[in-house]
Amino acid sequence: MAAAALPSLLGKALHLHLHKTLPAAVCLLIRRPCYTATASQSPRPIRTPPSTSTNKYDDNPSLLSTPKRLPPPIDPNRQNDPDYRKWKDKEAQIFLDIDPITLLIKDILHSNRYMDGQRLTPTDEKMVVEKVLAYHPHSEDKIGSGLDSIMVDRHPQFRNSRCLFVVRTDGIWIDFSYQKCIRSYIRQKYPSYAERFIKEHYKRSST
């Protein structure tokens, strides 16, 4: 009889053991975190390294005399018109003349070479003063008491745009439009073609 009762006692003991340990095991499985992403898939902060770019115009001055943009194509229906051909030749000449300084200014304003409020390098400043600011219709008023430096900063009204500033020796700084300077230069050097060129390629006015 004792032998017959042994399986019954073992069954009760096993049932009691499972009753006590199974909930704990289930809780452990539920509470255990589940990792599905690999290390390469995990989001990581992207840290931008500090800029180490140099002034490419200092390293290669020939860039200032190399055209980077082709003039508008010639209309095949008018290519035999001598007046039209003369205009296209002059248009190409003007582009060849102004493109180096225009590209330099755009690089100064739109690249990461200069932070807001930063003064230009001596090379860039010399180019801007001699090739741009000197042709502003009100350059003397802009310079005022004297030129201390040229600076890049946010436009006083359009904060999403950057522009050039004259920093005077008296501490006052005032913005100026490089496009206005270039238009004035074109009018002085190419008086017969200036207005047509400006109308076709400088549609937006600037102050």
Side-chain angles (χ1 to χ4, degrees):
M1 183 174 179
L6 184 59
S8 177
L9 292 174
L10 290 175
K12 290 182 179 180
L14 179 61
H15 177 75
L16 181 62
H17 175 74
L18 292 175
H19 179 74
K20 290 182 178 180
T21 59
L22 185 59
V26 171
C27 292
L28 181 62
L29 289 173
I30 293 175
R31 295 176 61 184
R32 185 179 181 181
C34 179
Y35 297 97
T36 57
T38 64
S40 62
Q41 294 171 330
S42 302
R44 297 174 61 88
I46 299 175
R47 185 174 298 174
T48 304
S51 174
T52 57
S53 60
T54 58
N55 187 342
K56 58 188 176 183
Y57 297 95
D58 289 339
D59 299 335
N60 191 358
S62 64
L63 289 173
L64 294 174
S65 59
T66 304
K68 301 295 183 181
R69 174 176 53 175
L70 295 175
I74 296 175
D75 184 352
N77 296 324
R78 302 182 58 189
Q79 60 183 349
N80 295 325
D81 182 346
D83 292 335
Y84 176 76
R85 290 291 308 187
K86 188 175 182 180
W87 152 245
K88 296 305 290 186
D89 290 343
K90 187 61 65 173
E91 181 187 43
Q93 181 183 346
I94 297 174
F95 270 125
L96 186 66
D97 188 9
I98 68 172
D99 262 0
I101 191 63
T102 300
L103 292 171
L104 172 61
I105 298 300
K106 289 181 178 181
D107 182 65
I108 290 172
L109 294 177
H110 304 307
S111 74
N112 61 355
R113 290 204 294 119
Y114 290 103
M115 299 175 62
D116 293 347
Q118 187 174 354
R119 174 178 174 168
L120 302 191
T121 64
T123 301
D124 286 346
E125 183 174 298
K126 184 175 185 294
M127 291 295 298
V128 170
V129 171
E130 295 180 357
K131 303 293 186 180
V132 182
L133 182 59
Y135 294 95
H136 195 286
H138 308 291
S139 59
E140 293 183 0
D141 295 334
K142 296 286 184 180
I143 295 173
S145 61
L147 176 66
D148 177 70
S149 62
I150 301 294
M151 179 181 69
V152 178
D153 209 335
R154 296 287 167 179
H155 192 280
Q157 294 179 332
F158 310 102
R159 301 300 297 174
N160 291 329
S161 300
R162 301 210 302 174
C163 61
L164 296 170
F165 287 82
V166 172
V167 181
R168 300 175 177 174
T169 53
D170 57 7
I172 296 174
W173 43 287
I174 184 170
D175 64 292
F176 67 98
S177 167
Y178 81 89
Q179 289 194 7
K180 193 169 189 177
C181 300
I182 292 176
R183 289 201 304 267
S184 178
Y185 169 80
I186 295 171
R187 288 189 175 103
Q188 291 182 36
K189 189 169 182 179
Y190 308 96
S192 301
Y193 300 91
E195 297 309 320
R196 181 174 180 177
F197 186 91
I198 291 169
K199 183 179 179 180
E200 293 190 14
H201 302 291
Y202 289 87
K203 296 180 180 179
R204 291 190 304 172
S205 62
S206 55
T207 59

